[in-house]
Amino acid sequence: MQVETDVSALEQVPLFNGLTKHQIQRLAEGARRVRAEAGSTLFLEGDPGSSLFVLQKGLIKIVRANDPTTTLTTLQPGAAFGELAVLNEAPRSASAVAIDVSELLEIDSKTVGDVLDEDPAAARKMLGSLAASLTVAREQVVQHNRVLDDKVRERTAELRETQLEVIRRLGQAAEFRDDDTGLHITRMSRYCARLAHAAGLSVKDCELLLHAAPMHDIGKIGIPDSILLKPGKLEPEEFEVMKTHTTMGAELLSGSSSDVMQLAKLIALEHHERWDGNGYPNGKAAEDIEFVARITSICDVYDALTSERPYKKAWASEDAMNLIKENGGSQFDPNLAELFLSLADDINAMRENPQILLTWKPGEEVQKPPLSSTP
């Protein structure tokens, strides 16, 4: 049964598109299943390479040994990496570190070589061309960026900004129904990006989360005002209706090829799941919940608690932080909850100063206002 699952996973990897079902079966049978805890290192830059990895679950970041704080890229499920090592056992050119608890398949060079020998014309050509193209493709991208016409770059930036503006307005369309300032999505999305960066995601992925998180509650568009704005506790049947904003949001965001919309769909669906499995809509637990949804859950709850609404007063930041702490391991990912608490100074600076909030960008330090010299 496990081999069948591994076969299905390998069939989704573009690297193996040229292989037959039988060849992929051989790879799956020879693969070693690996579990990497958050923060653990799969291999170090300079290590002798003798296998490739296929990520099935979790997140892996690729870093350089001389600058481990800078993430070159973040790998998500379905990614294959370390593939050059199966061609010539070349030393690893970077280090691979687990951001989240991750499950992988490790396939050694002998297994790959045995499979490739069955069909040299297709398989070896496929891997050989891939190896040769990795460096070439990278150089082509660099060169292409150098010669791009300024007007083309400006137009591309304009189109991207237009897309993001539409996305922001989609999020605000839901938020304005119970938050007439619209600042909730501005704050919580920046909290998400700050927490994600502290957790090890690359600046690029943090920016993606920054733009996707505002749509976490887009499904509220379909919730009646009598329930959404009710000042008291919801009746059980009303709460069941409220819970549908997760599935409605995911449905509204589904079917897009945009990386932002795809991430937003995952967040909309799972940001009310709980670490202990008692959340909704699907009762997922622990690492089965998408990493970005676990981040969003903490930031959404914190800002909701510290915000005044027609039906409630705002909590003090310290009280909201204490709730996050108390619920780490039950409602929230305990590691992310602890990390969020360590960012309290940054979070409070953003919450209390709109200028800091609106000018901060992922990857930057959060600039604190100078201390008053007035006695």
Side-chain angles (χ1 to χ4, degrees), residues 250-321:
E251 184 175 352
L252 283 170
L253 298 168
S254 65
S256 173
S257 60
S258 163
D259 51 0
V260 175
M261 299 295 273
Q262 290 173 2
L263 188 65
K265 174 187 174 182
L266 295 177
I267 294 172
L269 183 64
E270 298 191 6
H271 72 285
H272 281 292
E273 300 286 4
R274 291 172 54 105
W275 184 261
D276 60 12
N278 293 320
Y280 61 87
N282 297 315
K284 286 189 172 184
E287 291 93 359
D288 286 339
I289 305 168
E290 292 287 342
F291 190 66
V292 289
R294 283 180 262 154
I295 288 175
T296 304
S297 174
I298 293 174
C299 299
D300 184 33
V301 168
Y302 172 82
D303 193 70
L305 291 174
T306 55
S307 300
E308 183 174 353
R309 296 291 173 87
Y311 45 84
K312 74 172 208 52
K313 293 184 178 180
W315 286 31
S317 176
E318 182 179 358
D319 294 335
M321 288 289 182

Side-chain angles (χ1 to χ4, degrees), residues 27-83:
L27 290 180
E29 291 172 351
R32 182 173 73 94
R33 285 176 284 280
V34 176
R35 177 183 171 88
E37 299 299 328
S40 64
T41 300
L42 283 166
F43 55 75
L44 291 170
E45 180 178 348
D47 284 351
S50 60
S51 61
L52 64 84
F53 292 85
V54 175
L55 181 59
Q56 292 182 294
K57 177 182 174 183
L59 292 169
I60 300 292
K61 63 179 178 180
I62 304 299
V63 299
R64 298 305 301 269
N66 61 352
D67 188 12
T69 61
T70 299
T71 302
L72 299 177
T73 188
T74 304
L75 303 175
Q76 301 188 7
F81 60 100
E83 63 269 31

Side-chain angles (χ1 to χ4, degrees), residues 13-19 23 27 87 112 115-116 119-133:
V13 178
L15 178 63
F16 304 130
N17 283 346
L19 300 182
Q23 291 169 331
L27 290 180
L87 297 177
V112 176
V115 170
L116 298 188
D119 187 2
R124 285 197 183 282
K125 181 179 179 181
M126 177 188 67
L127 287 180
S129 61
L130 173 62
S133 67

Side-chain angles (χ1 to χ4, degrees), residues 97-158:
V97 180
I99 294 175
D100 195 15
V101 175
S102 302
E103 296 176 3
L104 310 96
L105 292 176
E106 182 177 10
I107 308 173
D108 62 36
S109 57
K110 183 179 185 308
T111 299
V112 176
D114 290 344
V115 170
L116 298 188
D117 286 341
E118 294 181 357
D119 187 2
R124 285 197 183 282
K125 181 179 179 181
M126 177 188 67
L127 287 180
S129 61
L130 173 62
S133 67
L134 288 176
T135 302
V136 173
R138 185 176 301 167
E139 291 301 320
Q140 288 176 335
V141 169
V142 172
Q143 182 64 22
H144 180 64
N145 287 338
R146 288 172 180 165
V147 300
L148 272 176
D149 181 83
D150 286 343
K151 290 184 178 180
V152 173
R153 287 200 301 269
E154 290 172 4
R155 181 57 179 159
T156 300
E158 289 173 2

